[in-house]
Amino acid sequence: MVGFLNLQSIVGIAVILGVCWAASENRNAFPWKLAVGAILTQVVLVLALFGLPPIRAGLAGVGVAIDGLATSTQAGVAFVFGFLSGAGQQPYPLDNPGALFVFGFRVLPVILVVCALAALLWHWKILKWITQGFGVVFQKAMGLRGPTALAVAATVFMGQVEGPIVIRAYLDKLSRSELFMLLTVGMACVSGSTMVAYATILKDVLPGAAAHVLTASIISAPAGVLLARVLIPRNSLLETAEDVAGGKEKTYDSSIDALIKGTGDGLNIVLNVGATLIVFVALVAIVNGILGVIPPIGGAPVSVERILGYVFAPVAWCLGVAWKEALQAGQLLGVKLVLTEFTAFIRLGAIPIEDLSERTRIIMTYALCGFANIASIGINVAGYSVLMPERRNEVIQLATKAMLAGFFATCLTAAVIGAMPGALFAAVR
């Protein structure tokens, strides 16, 4: 059965590439070498991350580190909010201890701490070296120009708007294809702070959740590059091999300055995430209320989630999900696109272990791990309008297509994972 599901995922890879080719601006310029190189890069990265014992042990240690980070964060939250954080002795009897897991107190504060640590690691040049290392990999494996490869690598760790800041002085020199590629990769990946938040949400229902979330964001970058190049092919006349310096980058005066500014950046992200979740969940509740006037179908009320499940169930099947679980997986894909990946991860984490196979949970973790949702269109337009105001209209024209490309990029990543033997991931628990 698993062998058939692996073949199912291979079919999904072909379907995703075929759909993007059909929507390409130039179908005669399909990047065959890049397609092979990007998928091989994904496979090699997965084999290295999960197959090499030293790296595998390091990934297993990531989970321990995240648990320690979450525990330490809760100490700070408890100091500020007391028993409301869920920590310590409660002043009232509890009928449902699970209700103490409040998203605003258990997940959002982790983003603050991680942003502060990321700024500190950037100031100490540790994160910068890691980013440059991945930039070299992307440059050599996928034929990107140096600055573009660096921005792609930075996006993996820093986020969809923060990543391109490292080549801010070079942004106005990007070709249309390169600009679209950065937008797409930003939609296909997540930031380091949200990686930790997602791992925190999934840790009780998915063994090795932290390793999978980290791997998902890293290997979705090649998928984003590939699909962006398929949809808007490279212009060889505009993109020369010249490696132009990236220009000014984010700097801090001291370690304390890095911590303070990193915390401020984290606060902006926390407020944005919290506000977006409130608004979009409320909008879906409004629509569900309107749909409530329709008589129940199949013994259940009509809702946005049910509709999205039926629409995206075939997509979930193409990723390698068994058909009996495709409707539930399709709902998660739809929620991720229409609401946010945060909402989708929360719902994935809330599904009882016995209701979803581990294979499907792993596939869906990779499929959901990206910023490709409607809200991100506004975030990208606003962010790039500050970074490159002279190209704002161009960004507006490309943003929606980039969201769809980013969505399919995470789906491509999930299909690649689904095509690989499940035993490869068994050691990371």
Tab-separated table of all heavy atoms in Angstrom, residues 72-123:
chain	number	residue	atom	x	y	z
A	72	SER	N	11.567	27.970	28.601
A	72	SER	CA	12.166	29.226	29.057
A	72	SER	C	11.249	30.415	28.748
A	72	SER	O	11.119	31.344	29.550
A	72	SER	CB	13.526	29.428	28.388
A	72	SER	OG	14.399	28.366	28.684
A	73	THR	N	10.618	30.376	27.589
A	73	THR	CA	9.702	31.451	27.214
A	73	THR	C	8.534	31.516	28.182
A	73	THR	O	8.095	32.598	28.575
A	73	THR	CB	9.175	31.240	25.779
A	73	THR	OG1	10.285	31.235	24.884
A	73	THR	CG2	8.209	32.347	25.386
A	74	GLN	N	8.036	30.340	28.581
A	74	GLN	CA	6.909	30.314	29.514
A	74	GLN	C	7.258	30.938	30.854
A	74	GLN	O	6.401	31.511	31.532
A	74	GLN	CB	6.423	28.881	29.726
A	74	GLN	CG	5.514	28.371	28.620
A	74	GLN	CD	4.295	29.271	28.446
A	74	GLN	OE1	4.214	30.045	27.490
A	74	GLN	NE2	3.359	29.200	29.358
A	75	ALA	N	8.542	30.839	31.240
A	75	ALA	CA	8.961	31.479	32.494
A	75	ALA	C	8.774	32.989	32.393
A	75	ALA	O	8.299	33.649	33.331
A	75	ALA	CB	10.419	31.135	32.793
A	76	GLY	N	9.145	33.567	31.237
A	76	GLY	CA	8.952	34.996	31.037
A	76	GLY	C	7.484	35.366	30.953
A	76	GLY	O	7.049	36.392	31.494
A	77	VAL	N	6.688	34.533	30.268
A	77	VAL	CA	5.252	34.798	30.142
A	77	VAL	C	4.577	34.738	31.505
A	77	VAL	O	3.730	35.571	31.842
A	77	VAL	CB	4.595	33.795	29.172
A	77	VAL	CG1	3.091	33.996	29.125
A	77	VAL	CG2	5.189	33.931	27.776
A	78	ALA	N	4.959	33.733	32.318
A	78	ALA	CA	4.368	33.596	33.648
A	78	ALA	C	4.710	34.785	34.534
A	78	ALA	O	3.897	35.217	35.359
A	78	ALA	CB	4.850	32.296	34.294
A	79	PHE	N	5.915	35.329	34.361
A	79	PHE	CA	6.314	36.492	35.167
A	79	PHE	C	5.425	37.697	34.852
A	79	PHE	O	5.090	38.483	35.737
A	79	PHE	CB	7.780	36.821	34.893
A	79	PHE	CG	8.284	38.009	35.671
A	79	PHE	CD1	8.649	37.883	37.000
A	79	PHE	CD2	8.385	39.262	35.076
A	79	PHE	CE1	9.104	38.982	37.720
A	79	PHE	CE2	8.835	40.364	35.777
A	79	PHE	CZ	9.205	40.226	37.113
A	80	VAL	N	5.041	37.843	33.575
A	80	VAL	CA	4.246	38.998	33.155
A	80	VAL	C	2.749	38.765	33.371
A	80	VAL	O	2.036	39.636	33.867
A	80	VAL	CB	4.518	39.327	31.671
A	80	VAL	CG1	3.609	40.470	31.192
A	80	VAL	CG2	5.977	39.724	31.483
A	81	PHE	N	2.266	37.551	33.024
A	81	PHE	CA	0.827	37.305	33.036
A	81	PHE	C	0.355	36.386	34.164
A	81	PHE	O	-0.850	36.149	34.300
A	81	PHE	CB	0.387	36.710	31.689
A	81	PHE	CG	0.566	37.642	30.535
A	81	PHE	CD1	1.610	37.472	29.632
A	81	PHE	CD2	-0.301	38.711	30.344
A	81	PHE	CE1	1.781	38.335	28.555
A	81	PHE	CE2	-0.135	39.583	29.277
A	81	PHE	CZ	0.901	39.396	28.379
A	82	GLY	N	1.290	35.855	34.953
A	82	GLY	CA	0.902	35.021	36.074
A	82	GLY	C	0.194	33.754	35.662
A	82	GLY	O	0.537	33.126	34.653
A	83	PHE	N	-0.843	33.362	36.411
A	83	PHE	CA	-1.527	32.092	36.169
A	83	PHE	C	-2.248	32.052	34.822
A	83	PHE	O	-2.569	30.975	34.301
A	83	PHE	CB	-2.525	31.800	37.296
A	83	PHE	CG	-3.746	32.685	37.270
A	83	PHE	CD1	-4.877	32.290	36.570
A	83	PHE	CD2	-3.770	33.896	37.955
A	83	PHE	CE1	-6.011	33.099	36.550
A	83	PHE	CE2	-4.886	34.705	37.927
A	83	PHE	CZ	-6.022	34.301	37.224
A	84	LEU	N	-2.491	33.217	34.213
A	84	LEU	CA	-3.150	33.239	32.912
A	84	LEU	C	-2.315	32.542	31.838
A	84	LEU	O	-2.847	32.092	30.827
A	84	LEU	CB	-3.414	34.688	32.475
A	84	LEU	CG	-4.428	35.474	33.305
A	84	LEU	CD1	-4.494	36.915	32.817
A	84	LEU	CD2	-5.806	34.827	33.217
A	85	SER	N	-1.010	32.445	32.060
A	85	SER	CA	-0.122	31.804	31.095
A	85	SER	C	-0.257	30.291	31.110
A	85	SER	O	0.269	29.606	30.236
A	85	SER	CB	1.334	32.178	31.380
A	85	SER	OG	1.752	31.617	32.612
A	86	GLY	N	-0.944	29.755	32.114
A	86	GLY	CA	-1.088	28.308	32.242
A	86	GLY	C	-0.005	27.678	33.080
A	86	GLY	O	-0.022	26.477	33.334
A	87	ALA	N	0.955	28.458	33.519
A	87	ALA	CA	2.061	27.946	34.326
A	87	ALA	C	1.758	28.142	35.814
A	87	ALA	O	1.015	29.037	36.202
A	87	ALA	CB	3.357	28.653	33.959
A	88	GLY	N	2.367	27.280	36.629
A	88	GLY	CA	2.219	27.430	38.070
A	88	GLY	C	0.864	26.953	38.575
A	88	GLY	O	0.050	26.379	37.849
A	89	GLN	N	0.612	27.209	39.838
A	89	GLN	CA	-0.634	26.770	40.471
A	89	GLN	C	-1.799	27.656	40.038
A	89	GLN	O	-1.710	28.873	40.061
A	89	GLN	CB	-0.488	26.803	41.989
A	89	GLN	CG	-1.687	26.227	42.733
A	89	GLN	CD	-1.440	26.169	44.235
A	89	GLN	OE1	-0.387	26.584	44.711
A	89	GLN	NE2	-2.416	25.645	44.957
A	90	GLN	N	-2.895	27.024	39.657
A	90	GLN	CA	-4.077	27.759	39.221
A	90	GLN	C	-4.965	28.100	40.423
A	90	GLN	O	-5.109	27.287	41.337
A	90	GLN	CB	-4.872	26.932	38.205
A	90	GLN	CG	-4.089	26.583	36.955
A	90	GLN	CD	-3.681	27.813	36.175
A	90	GLN	OE1	-4.477	28.694	35.911
A	90	GLN	NE2	-2.403	27.877	35.815
A	91	PRO	N	-5.587	29.269	40.433
A	91	PRO	CA	-6.394	29.690	41.580
A	91	PRO	C	-7.814	29.119	41.576
A	91	PRO	O	-8.645	29.509	42.381
A	91	PRO	CB	-6.421	31.213	41.420
A	91	PRO	CG	-6.364	31.418	39.952
A	91	PRO	CD	-5.463	30.330	39.422
A	92	TYR	N	-8.088	28.166	40.648
A	92	TYR	CA	-9.427	27.604	40.564
A	92	TYR	C	-9.304	26.154	40.100
A	92	TYR	O	-8.327	25.771	39.456
A	92	TYR	CB	-10.286	28.400	39.568
A	92	TYR	CG	-9.567	28.784	38.304
A	92	TYR	CD1	-9.324	27.849	37.294
A	92	TYR	CD2	-9.072	30.078	38.119
A	92	TYR	CE1	-8.637	28.187	36.151
A	92	TYR	CE2	-8.379	30.418	36.957
A	92	TYR	CZ	-8.171	29.471	35.987
A	92	TYR	OH	-7.482	29.800	34.849
A	93	PRO	N	-10.280	25.319	40.424
A	93	PRO	CA	-10.222	23.919	39.979
A	93	PRO	C	-10.366	23.823	38.458
A	93	PRO	O	-11.063	24.628	37.836
A	93	PRO	CB	-11.410	23.269	40.693
A	93	PRO	CG	-12.334	24.403	40.985
A	93	PRO	CD	-11.461	25.594	41.248
A	94	LEU	N	-9.683	22.828	37.853
A	94	LEU	CA	-9.683	22.671	36.403
A	94	LEU	C	-10.485	21.440	35.992
A	94	LEU	O	-10.216	20.329	36.452
A	94	LEU	CB	-8.245	22.538	35.885
A	94	LEU	CG	-7.326	23.743	36.081
A	94	LEU	CD1	-5.914	23.400	35.621
A	94	LEU	CD2	-7.845	24.944	35.324
A	95	ASP	N	-11.481	21.645	35.140
A	95	ASP	CA	-12.227	20.530	34.561
A	95	ASP	C	-11.568	20.052	33.266
A	95	ASP	O	-11.721	18.900	32.874
A	95	ASP	CB	-13.679	20.943	34.270
A	95	ASP	CG	-14.442	21.271	35.536
A	95	ASP	OD1	-14.143	20.638	36.573
A	95	ASP	OD2	-15.314	22.165	35.502
A	96	ASN	N	-10.866	20.969	32.590
A	96	ASN	CA	-10.225	20.649	31.313
A	96	ASN	C	-8.829	21.265	31.289
A	96	ASN	O	-8.653	22.407	30.837
A	96	ASN	CB	-11.064	21.176	30.147
A	96	ASN	CG	-10.423	20.883	28.796
A	96	ASN	OD1	-9.535	20.029	28.687
A	96	ASN	ND2	-10.864	21.596	27.770
A	97	PRO	N	-7.812	20.530	31.759
A	97	PRO	CA	-6.448	21.081	31.779
A	97	PRO	C	-5.964	21.505	30.394
A	97	PRO	O	-5.131	22.404	30.264
A	97	PRO	CB	-5.617	19.910	32.329
A	97	PRO	CG	-6.585	19.079	33.104
A	97	PRO	CD	-7.882	19.190	32.350
A	98	GLY	N	-6.460	20.860	29.326
A	98	GLY	CA	-6.043	21.219	27.976
A	98	GLY	C	-6.400	22.642	27.605
A	98	GLY	O	-5.797	23.233	26.705
A	99	ALA	N	-7.397	23.215	28.300
A	99	ALA	CA	-7.813	24.580	27.994
A	99	ALA	C	-6.746	25.601	28.387
A	99	ALA	O	-6.831	26.774	27.993
A	99	ALA	CB	-9.134	24.899	28.705
A	100	LEU	N	-5.732	25.158	29.166
A	100	LEU	CA	-4.667	26.074	29.569
A	100	LEU	C	-3.726	26.410	28.421
A	100	LEU	O	-2.934	27.351	28.516
A	100	LEU	CB	-3.859	25.454	30.721
A	100	LEU	CG	-4.583	25.329	32.063
A	100	LEU	CD1	-3.690	24.619	33.077
A	100	LEU	CD2	-4.993	26.699	32.590
A	101	PHE	N	-3.818	25.623	27.323
A	101	PHE	CA	-2.975	25.926	26.162
A	101	PHE	C	-3.646	27.056	25.374
A	101	PHE	O	-4.467	26.830	24.485
A	101	PHE	CB	-2.799	24.690	25.269
A	101	PHE	CG	-1.780	24.891	24.178
A	101	PHE	CD1	-0.465	24.524	24.380
A	101	PHE	CD2	-2.127	25.463	22.966
A	101	PHE	CE1	0.490	24.714	23.375
A	101	PHE	CE2	-1.195	25.658	21.958
A	101	PHE	CZ	0.120	25.287	22.169
A	102	VAL	N	-3.291	28.272	25.727
A	102	VAL	CA	-3.847	29.460	25.070
A	102	VAL	C	-2.829	29.935	24.041
A	102	VAL	O	-1.674	30.230	24.382
A	102	VAL	CB	-4.141	30.574	26.092
A	102	VAL	CG1	-4.703	31.807	25.385
A	102	VAL	CG2	-5.121	30.076	27.140
A	103	PHE	N	-3.256	30.022	22.789
A	103	PHE	CA	-2.355	30.360	21.691
A	103	PHE	C	-1.599	31.657	21.958
A	103	PHE	O	-0.392	31.755	21.718
A	103	PHE	CB	-3.173	30.479	20.395
A	103	PHE	CG	-2.354	30.760	19.176
A	103	PHE	CD1	-1.688	29.749	18.520
A	103	PHE	CD2	-2.251	32.046	18.672
A	103	PHE	CE1	-0.930	30.003	17.394
A	103	PHE	CE2	-1.502	32.316	17.541
A	103	PHE	CZ	-0.841	31.288	16.902
A	104	GLY	N	-2.295	32.648	22.462
A	104	GLY	CA	-1.680	33.952	22.697
A	104	GLY	C	-0.601	33.922	23.759
A	104	GLY	O	0.302	34.773	23.760
A	105	PHE	N	-0.660	32.930	24.681
A	105	PHE	CA	0.325	32.847	25.753
A	105	PHE	C	1.386	31.770	25.517
A	105	PHE	O	2.463	31.836	26.080
A	105	PHE	CB	-0.365	32.561	27.090
A	105	PHE	CG	-1.187	33.709	27.609
A	105	PHE	CD1	-2.453	33.489	28.117
A	105	PHE	CD2	-0.707	35.004	27.575
A	105	PHE	CE1	-3.214	34.544	28.601
A	105	PHE	CE2	-1.457	36.063	28.047
A	105	PHE	CZ	-2.716	35.836	28.558
A	106	ARG	N	1.066	30.766	24.665
A	106	ARG	CA	1.982	29.645	24.509
A	106	ARG	C	2.757	29.665	23.200
A	106	ARG	O	3.833	29.075	23.122
A	106	ARG	CB	1.185	28.323	24.610
A	106	ARG	CG	0.506	28.113	25.947
A	106	ARG	CD	1.500	27.872	27.059
A	106	ARG	NE	2.216	26.639	26.877
A	106	ARG	CZ	1.762	25.453	27.284
A	106	ARG	NH1	0.585	25.362	27.880
A	106	ARG	NH2	2.475	24.367	27.098
A	107	VAL	N	2.232	30.294	22.165
A	107	VAL	CA	2.882	30.258	20.856
A	107	VAL	C	3.443	31.619	20.462
A	107	VAL	O	4.617	31.739	20.094
A	107	VAL	CB	1.899	29.757	19.778
A	107	VAL	CG1	2.565	29.776	18.405
A	107	VAL	CG2	1.424	28.350	20.105
A	108	LEU	N	2.618	32.656	20.531
A	108	LEU	CA	3.074	33.979	20.096
A	108	LEU	C	4.308	34.472	20.867
A	108	LEU	O	5.209	35.046	20.250
A	108	LEU	CB	1.933	34.992	20.212
A	108	LEU	CG	0.735	34.768	19.269
A	108	LEU	CD1	-0.289	35.881	19.436
A	108	LEU	CD2	1.201	34.690	17.820
A	109	PRO	N	4.394	34.264	22.191
A	109	PRO	CA	5.613	34.727	22.884
A	109	PRO	C	6.890	34.058	22.398
A	109	PRO	O	7.966	34.650	22.462
A	109	PRO	CB	5.332	34.366	24.357
A	109	PRO	CG	3.845	34.370	24.467
A	109	PRO	CD	3.382	33.803	23.154
A	110	VAL	N	6.773	32.812	21.896
A	110	VAL	CA	7.959	32.127	21.372
A	110	VAL	C	8.538	32.897	20.185
A	110	VAL	O	9.758	32.968	20.008
A	110	VAL	CB	7.595	30.680	20.955
A	110	VAL	CG1	8.781	30.014	20.271
A	110	VAL	CG2	7.171	29.874	22.165
A	111	ILE	N	7.662	33.496	19.384
A	111	ILE	CA	8.123	34.288	18.240
A	111	ILE	C	8.976	35.455	18.714
A	111	ILE	O	10.012	35.770	18.106
A	111	ILE	CB	6.915	34.798	17.428
A	111	ILE	CG1	6.145	33.613	16.844
A	111	ILE	CG2	7.365	35.743	16.318
A	111	ILE	CD1	4.889	34.007	16.089
A	112	LEU	N	8.567	36.102	19.791
A	112	LEU	CA	9.350	37.217	20.345
A	112	LEU	C	10.764	36.776	20.695
A	112	LEU	O	11.745	37.421	20.328
A	112	LEU	CB	8.659	37.769	21.600
A	112	LEU	CG	7.447	38.675	21.432
A	112	LEU	CD1	6.855	38.987	22.799
A	112	LEU	CD2	7.825	39.950	20.713
A	113	VAL	N	10.857	35.659	21.424
A	113	VAL	CA	12.158	35.187	21.891
A	113	VAL	C	13.034	34.769	20.720
A	113	VAL	O	14.225	35.098	20.662
A	113	VAL	CB	11.974	34.014	22.879
A	113	VAL	CG1	13.335	33.448	23.289
A	113	VAL	CG2	11.211	34.477	24.117
A	114	VAL	N	12.449	34.062	19.748
A	114	VAL	CA	13.238	33.593	18.606
A	114	VAL	C	13.730	34.767	17.766
A	114	VAL	O	14.863	34.766	17.269
A	114	VAL	CB	12.409	32.615	17.749
A	114	VAL	CG1	13.163	32.255	16.477
A	114	VAL	CG2	12.105	31.359	18.539
A	115	CYS	N	12.890	35.782	17.576
A	115	CYS	CA	13.319	36.965	16.821
A	115	CYS	C	14.496	37.656	17.497
A	115	CYS	O	15.446	38.100	16.840
A	115	CYS	CB	12.159	37.946	16.660
A	115	CYS	SG	10.975	37.472	15.393
A	116	ALA	N	14.441	37.747	18.816
A	116	ALA	CA	15.543	38.358	19.558
A	116	ALA	C	16.822	37.532	19.414
A	116	ALA	O	17.915	38.073	19.179
A	116	ALA	CB	15.164	38.503	21.027
A	117	LEU	N	16.691	36.199	19.518
A	117	LEU	CA	17.862	35.329	19.375
A	117	LEU	C	18.414	35.383	17.955
A	117	LEU	O	19.631	35.359	17.749
A	117	LEU	CB	17.485	33.890	19.740
A	117	LEU	CG	17.226	33.606	21.225
A	117	LEU	CD1	16.782	32.167	21.403
A	117	LEU	CD2	18.476	33.891	22.059
A	118	ALA	N	17.514	35.437	16.953
A	118	ALA	CA	17.963	35.500	15.565
A	118	ALA	C	18.759	36.774	15.303
A	118	ALA	O	19.777	36.763	14.605
A	118	ALA	CB	16.755	35.427	14.622
A	119	ALA	N	18.292	37.893	15.859
A	119	ALA	CA	19.027	39.149	15.703
A	119	ALA	C	20.408	39.052	16.352
A	119	ALA	O	21.406	39.536	15.805
A	119	ALA	CB	18.227	40.303	16.314
A	120	LEU	N	20.459	38.411	17.507
A	120	LEU	CA	21.736	38.241	18.205
A	120	LEU	C	22.679	37.353	17.386
A	120	LEU	O	23.872	37.677	17.235
A	120	LEU	CB	21.494	37.621	19.578
A	120	LEU	CG	22.710	37.509	20.506
A	120	LEU	CD1	23.267	38.893	20.831
A	120	LEU	CD2	22.335	36.777	21.791
A	121	LEU	N	22.151	36.247	16.827
A	121	LEU	CA	22.982	35.353	16.014
A	121	LEU	C	23.435	36.035	14.727
A	121	LEU	O	24.522	35.755	14.222
A	121	LEU	CB	22.196	34.076	15.694
A	121	LEU	CG	21.920	33.148	16.881
A	121	LEU	CD1	21.044	31.985	16.450
A	121	LEU	CD2	23.219	32.632	17.481
A	122	TRP	N	22.608	36.936	14.190
A	122	TRP	CA	23.014	37.688	12.996
A	122	TRP	C	24.143	38.660	13.359
A	122	TRP	O	25.117	38.802	12.606
A	122	TRP	CB	21.819	38.448	12.431
A	122	TRP	CG	22.143	39.162	11.150
A	122	TRP	CD1	22.559	40.467	11.008
A	122	TRP	CD2	22.116	38.625	9.825
A	122	TRP	NE1	22.784	40.769	9.687
A	122	TRP	CE2	22.519	39.663	8.931
A	122	TRP	CE3	21.790	37.378	9.299
A	122	TRP	CZ2	22.597	39.473	7.563
A	122	TRP	CZ3	21.864	37.193	7.923
A	122	TRP	CH2	22.262	38.234	7.073
A	123	HIS	N	24.012	39.312	14.511
A	123	HIS	CA	25.055	40.245	14.953
A	123	HIS	C	26.371	39.511	15.192
A	123	HIS	O	27.444	40.041	14.878
A	123	HIS	CB	24.605	40.944	16.235
A	123	HIS	CG	25.640	41.860	16.818
A	123	HIS	ND1	26.078	43.012	16.183
A	123	HIS	CD2	26.358	41.783	17.980
A	123	HIS	CE1	26.996	43.618	16.923
A	123	HIS	NE2	27.184	42.890	18.013
